[in-house]
Amino acid sequence: MDETFRQVGAAGRAAYGSAKDTGRAMRRLFSAELALARSAFGRALAWVAVGIVFGASAWLLVTGALIALLQRFGWSWLQSLSFVAAISLVVTGVAVWKVGHYFDLTGMHATRRQLSRLGLLDEKDDEPTPPETPAP
């Protein structure tokens, strides 16, 4: 019986050591992943900036070419500039509308509503409270 308790104790210590080593490995992996994600995020932002700069300059060249083409077709400067500006304003309006829509989706409304129902989050504006009925 004594030998069985020693074997069980040794197995428990081995399991604890293994779990501790696994926890350390997971912590190192998590730290490495965070460092990689941080580096990748910075590089992605840099490339986004490059894309925005070159996209904006390409759009300016396209609008300039469109204005020149409209001039060749006999449109006045005012008409061709107004037409290209209207196109830009319509695309900008659609983009603003879509950004607002997608930012609204990031609000995690269903999660916040469930947390509020559990009493873990106090948000009065998400869900109307039912009227209280007086006790008879």
Side-chain angles (χ1 to χ4, degrees), residues 9-110:
R13 282 189 295 279
Y16 173 73
S18 176
K20 194 164 84 169
D21 291 340
T22 301
R24 284 184 187 143
M26 290 300 289
R27 186 180 44 135
R28 282 194 301 267
L29 176 65
F30 183 71
S31 295
E33 288 275 298
L34 276 180
L36 179 63
R38 203 171 33 242
S39 173
F41 184 71
R43 290 176 187 207
L45 282 180
W47 281 107
V48 164
V50 168
I52 288 171
V53 166
F54 279 88
S57 64
W59 178 249
L60 290 173
L61 290 170
V62 166
T63 57
L66 182 59
I67 290 170
L69 183 65
L70 291 174
Q71 284 282 304
R72 183 177 286 279
F73 288 150
W75 289 33
S76 70
W77 277 103
L78 181 61
Q79 288 174 325
S80 43
L81 285 172
S82 298
F83 179 72
V84 173
I87 291 173
S88 294
L89 287 174
V90 167
V91 171
T92 301
V94 169
V96 166
W97 173 66
K98 293 301 280 184
V99 165
H101 172 70
Y102 286 124
F103 273 140
D104 186 46
L105 292 178
T106 64
M108 297 173 47
H109 300 293

